Amino acid sequence: MFVYILKTAPFLRIVIPFMLGIIWPLPLLFVIPGVLFLLMLHVGIGYLPLWVRFKLDVYRGIILQLLLVCMGCMLVDAKEKCKHHLIKAVPDEVLVGTIAAPIQSSQYGYRTVVELQTKEQLLIYFPPDSAVMAIQEGDRLLFNGAVQLISFNGNPGSFNYREYCATRYIYQQVHLQTGHWRHISLPKSILLRCRNSCLQIINQYIGGREAGLAAALLIGYRYGLDREMVNDYMQTGIVHIIAISGMHLALIYGCLIWSLQWLPIPSLKGVLIIVVVWGFTLLTGASASVLRAAVMLTVVTVGKFFLDRDSSTYNQLALSAFLLLCYDPALIKDVGFQLSYLAVLGILLLNKPFDSKSYWWRKLREAITIAIAAQAITFPLCLYLFGQFPLYFLPANLLAVPLSTLILYGEIMLLCVQTHWLGACLQWLLIMMNTIVEWIGHLPGALITGLHISVYGVVALYVCIVAYLAGKKGIVYMMGALCLWSLIVLPEKLQRQQQQVMIVYNQPRHTGIDFIQGHVVQFAGDDSISADMLRAARDFYDADTGRLAGFEQLGHFICCGNKRVVIVDSALPAGRPTKKFKTDYLLLSHNPRVAIKDLQGFYDVGCFIFDASSSRSRIEEWKSECYALTLRFLSVPDQGAYVVNF
């Protein structure tokens, strides 16, 4: 099976080594001499006698594969040099950029992305101000503020927002103050005008909570989605419905093929299809999954309407991956890119055609097989990335996918006819789909969490999938992969039983400390701290709440094992003790009006910790005092959550 795929898909032999070079890029110091040596070797073999060249043909193939690996390494280096520029703005310098994303609400105000005239992108945070809502995508922004690296809270198991932004070549952020910015409205591009027109029609004829879902289904505009609604779709494993994906583009492609049947000129039909496909791709923001589908459909269209020939779907998939990675090698880190290609590959490998006299029975079996195939092939990666599994993904897909297809075609019709009765029908369908998804998402055991696996587990599970496809011969490899995974996981499990960890969490305006011994965790701090943050960290350490044997807490004094922690959140009492209290850590929280030199009169401190519940100005004062007194300290808002083994 795999030999046949490699023979019919030559681009697979190109894209695999090319991707290896992107995933594990080597320094140019080694790559350039390697490329020169390989080229000389390849050319040298070409001058040898024919019978020698025939014997060395295998080695020439290996040389070409290594050159593709080097090509991937060099492309990553070139892109990083082109994109990775840090802004060093001098004080009072006015920066000018273009708004590159719609204004979104954040925890303390609003945020957006600005592209400077030098092509670097900055994450901009605005204070709560009604004037911010007048800013639109495509406007010019003049601003002045301190440019900083994007922060990461460092909480164990939490989402690394800094790394996420880095995959989009955004490395810095600016927190603007009121009066330190001004925007200038500019004429919008054709794509922005088309998108705004679509949003206006959707809001006018559908409206309400469902308008955000309708906009996400049609043009991938997710900024109006209700957060609880998104959670329901994630819990049922059908979030791909509200995120524009290859499925949406395939539906539009099928609609185009049907509607252009009357056109007698194949080449003109192909040009129209390609223009509409890429126009829709750009209109939706050109996400990785849509780009994959657009490139594949372009290849299919060119072959069908211009060259009058069909090609292997595996070859189309590999070609699209190669072209997209040449355009932007960072796409390989994009979760949407990974899941999109894996899902299509799973459908190609695991989906088997069914012969049945009943049309509806055949379609039902196809829908079931496609849903299971896509879920099976993405299952290991989803466990690694999200640590959860939607138990009822199959009924959710069988009910929501046909409804979303009907809604998508209805929205396209709404853009053409713009009638209130059609908008009311679409709103009713959207309400029905949301109700079904919400009901499934709240069934007992709808989402199984805490299923995190390591990279070794991902590799082992994919080896098992490949072994299953290989038939009886693959059983040995499957058992070997599972045994090797068990041997790798066993030492980690034994280490978890002996772990002793203290975590000072990084959440603004809150204090939280977890003490972990083995698989038991005990908390000290504010009850209002984020439960999701605590759950992620405890899943990461495989620990659950309980009572620690060596844990004692008396007010603000905590003793766990051989570590002592004192929490100071108010002014110190009058007078000084005759003997200092010795503590390993002194945690300053909730802006106490104390000075470090006064604390030294009460405590013999090993390390001062400033958590995120205190203001920036107060933390800066404490830091200055610690520098002057040469004391050891750690600032949680600056350095991230403090995690220490004891």
Side-chain angles (χ1 to χ4, degrees):
M1 177 182 181
F2 296 108
V3 175
Y4 171 77
I5 292 174
L6 286 173
K7 286 183 178 179
T8 57
F11 260 98
L12 274 175
R13 298 193 291 271
I14 295 175
V15 75
I16 291 175
F18 182 66
M19 289 172 63
L20 290 176
I22 294 174
I23 295 171
W24 294 292
L26 298 173
L28 287 184
L29 181 66
F30 302 107
V31 173
I32 293 178
V35 169
L36 295 175
F37 173 74
L38 290 171
L39 287 174
M40 291 173 59
L41 199 61
H42 190 271
V43 172
I45 292 176
Y47 283 101
L48 295 175
L50 183 61
W51 64 275
V52 178
R53 275 185 287 165
F54 180 77
K55 288 186 176 181
L56 298 177
D57 195 48
V58 175
Y59 298 100
R60 295 185 74 181
I62 295 173
I63 291 171
L64 290 175
Q65 299 284 304
L66 293 174
L67 285 172
L68 286 168
V69 173
C70 294
M71 179 181 170
C73 298
M74 295 170 70
L75 184 62
V76 170
D77 184 81
K79 284 290 184 179
E80 284 297 320
K81 287 181 178 178
C82 177
K83 294 281 188 178
H84 192 170
H85 292 161
L86 297 180
I87 306 300
K88 296 181 180 179
V90 298
D92 300 326
E93 179 184 0
V94 176
L95 299 174
V96 181
T98 304
I99 303 294
I103 299 293
Q104 305 172 60
S105 61
S106 66
Q107 190 173 5
Y108 303 112
Y110 302 95
R111 69 179 180 183
T112 187
V113 175
V114 167
E115 183 174 313
L116 303 181
Q117 294 175 334
T118 52
K119 300 305 180 183
E120 289 87 2
Q121 291 187 326
L122 295 176
L123 190 62
I124 304 294
Y125 287 93
F126 295 95
D129 188 347
S130 58
V132 177
M133 300 311 297
I135 301 176
Q136 295 183 1
E137 189 175 353
D139 288 350
R140 185 71 49 81
L141 185 73
L142 290 78
F143 60 97
N144 168 252
V147 180
Q148 305 168 333
L149 290 174
I150 292 177
S151 58
F152 170 51
N153 58 35
N155 295 318
S158 65
F159 177 66
N160 193 334
Y161 189 63
R162 178 191 293 170
E163 186 177 319
Y164 169 79
C165 290
T167 60
R168 284 152 176 78
Y169 302 108
I170 304 172
Y171 304 97
Q172 293 170 293
Q173 62 185 8
V174 179
H175 289 266
L176 297 181
Q177 298 178 2
T178 303
H180 285 223
W181 58 273
R182 184 167 66 90
H183 90 282
I184 302 172
S185 296
L186 295 177
K188 304 299 183 289
S189 65
I190 295 176
L191 286 174
L192 279 178
R193 290 202 299 270
C194 289
R195 193 191 66 184
N196 292 337
S197 177
C198 292
L199 291 174
Q200 183 181 358
I201 293 170
I202 289 171
N203 289 323
Q204 180 181 353
Y205 292 97
I206 297 178
R209 182 171 176 255
E210 288 71 34
L213 179 58
L217 280 169
L218 181 62
I219 57 173
Y221 188 85
R222 303 187 64 186
Y223 303 102
L225 282 171
D226 182 76
R227 187 168 297 179
E228 293 183 1
M229 183 191 300
V230 175
N231 288 334
D232 289 336
Y233 279 81
M234 291 182 66
Q235 286 189 330
T236 51
I238 55 172
V239 74
H240 59 87
I241 288 178
I242 57 176
I244 287 291
S245 61
M247 181 189 76
H248 297 76
L249 205 57
L251 293 173
I252 291 174
Y253 182 80
C255 183
L256 287 171
I257 293 291
W258 177 80
S259 60
L260 293 176
Q261 287 178 343
W262 57 272
L263 200 60
I265 307 174
S267 57
L268 180 59
K269 189 186 300 185
V271 169
L272 289 175
I273 290 173
I274 291 173
V275 168
V276 173
V277 164
W278 280 101
F280 178 79
T281 300
L282 297 175
L283 180 67
T284 58
S287 64
S289 56
V290 179
L291 282 172
R292 187 268 310 159
V295 174
M296 287 188 68
L297 292 176
T298 302
V299 173
V300 171
T301 303
V302 170
K304 184 175 182 179
F305 296 104
F306 292 92
L307 304 178
D308 194 22
R309 57 180 296 182
D310 295 326
S311 63
S312 166
T313 310
Y314 295 102
N315 201 46
Q316 297 167 8
L317 195 66
L319 174 59
S320 66
F322 179 76
L323 294 176
L324 289 178
L325 292 175
C326 285
Y327 165 71
D328 186 2
L331 282 173
I332 203 166
K333 299 178 183 178
D334 188 278
V335 175
F337 181 90
Q338 298 167 6
L339 293 178
S340 175
Y341 275 92
L342 282 174
V344 175
L345 185 62
I347 292 170
L348 293 176
L349 290 172
L350 302 176
N351 184 27
K352 304 297 182 183
F354 295 104
D355 293 327
S356 176
K357 295 180 180 180
S358 172
Y359 173 82
W360 296 109
W361 175 241
R362 185 171 69 252
K363 288 297 180 183
L364 177 62
R365 293 187 65 180
E366 286 178 359
I368 293 173
T369 308
I370 288 173
I372 293 176
Q375 193 69 42
I377 205 73
T378 57
F379 174 70
L381 184 61
C382 288
L383 289 188
Y384 174 72
L385 294 172
F386 311 116
Q388 57 189 29
F389 178 72
L391 189 61
Y392 306 121
F393 74 91
L394 185 56
N397 272 278
L398 294 179
L399 293 172
V401 170
L403 271 176
S404 65
T405 303
L406 184 61
I407 291 168
L408 178 62
Y409 287 143
E411 288 187 82
I412 295 173
M413 189 181 299
L414 180 65
L415 296 180
C416 300
V417 298
Q418 299 181 24
T419 58
H420 286 284
W421 66 266
L422 181 56
C425 290
L426 290 173
Q427 187 181 41
W428 181 80
L429 287 173
L430 287 164
I431 292 173
M432 183 170 67
M433 185 169 71
N434 286 338
T435 304
I436 292 172
V437 171
E438 183 179 1
W439 176 73
I440 294 176
H442 287 82
L443 289 174
L447 188 67
I448 304 174
T449 58
L451 300 176
H452 295 279
I453 61 173
S454 63
V455 176
Y456 303 108
V458 176
V459 174
L461 289 177
Y462 278 119
V463 169
C464 291
I465 292 174
V466 173
Y468 166 77
L469 294 173
K472 295 181 179 179
K473 297 179 181 178
I475 294 178
V476 176
Y477 297 100
M478 186 184 299
M479 297 303 296
L482 293 175
C483 291
L484 185 60
W485 183 19
S486 301
L487 292 174
I488 293 173
V489 170
L490 185 59
E492 182 182 352
K493 292 293 184 183
L494 294 175
Q495 185 181 1
R496 290 292 190 199
Q497 293 180 357
Q498 306 298 324
Q499 66 185 352
Q500 291 184 317
V501 183
M502 182 183 77
I503 306 169
V504 180
Y505 290 103
N506 182 7
Q507 185 184 359
R509 298 188 293 209
H510 290 83
T511 296
I513 311 173
D514 260 347
F515 296 90
I516 301 175
Q517 289 184 355
H519 296 288
V520 181
V521 58
Q522 192 154 346
F523 176 78
D526 302 336
D527 294 333
S528 57
I529 198 167
S530 171
D532 292 336
M533 181 182 67
L534 296 178
R535 189 183 307 112
R538 291 164 183 179
D539 288 343
F540 181 80
Y541 284 100
D542 193 18
D544 201 358
T545 54
R547 178 69 184 175
L548 296 181
F551 182 88
E552 295 181 10
Q553 182 175 6
L554 181 61
H556 290 68
F557 298 88
I558 301 173
C559 180
C560 185
N562 60 349
K563 296 295 181 182
R564 291 181 176 183
V565 181
V566 175
I567 301 175
V568 176
D569 59 2
S570 59
L572 294 171
R576 292 198 175 190
T578 55
K579 185 179 180 181
K580 293 182 182 180
F581 182 82
K582 187 174 182 180
T583 180
D584 297 287
Y585 302 100
L586 191 145
L587 178 67
L588 288 166
S589 69
H590 294 289
N591 288 311
R593 294 184 177 276
V594 297
I596 299 297
K597 62 180 180 179
D598 294 333
L599 288 168
Q600 284 188 295
F602 283 79
Y603 304 101
D604 182 7
V605 182
C607 179
F608 289 90
I609 302 175
F610 315 135
D611 73 0
S613 65
S614 299
S615 64
R616 286 275 182 180
S617 58
R618 189 59 55 82
I619 290 176
E620 290 301 323
E621 292 177 9
W622 293 331
K623 287 167 63 177
S624 299
E625 290 187 73
C626 288
Y627 280 126
L629 298 170
T630 63
L631 299 174
R632 186 184 169 206
F633 72 91
L634 183 133
S635 174
V636 169
D638 297 321
Q639 298 168 257
Y642 184 47
V643 181
V644 59
N645 295 308
F646 62 91

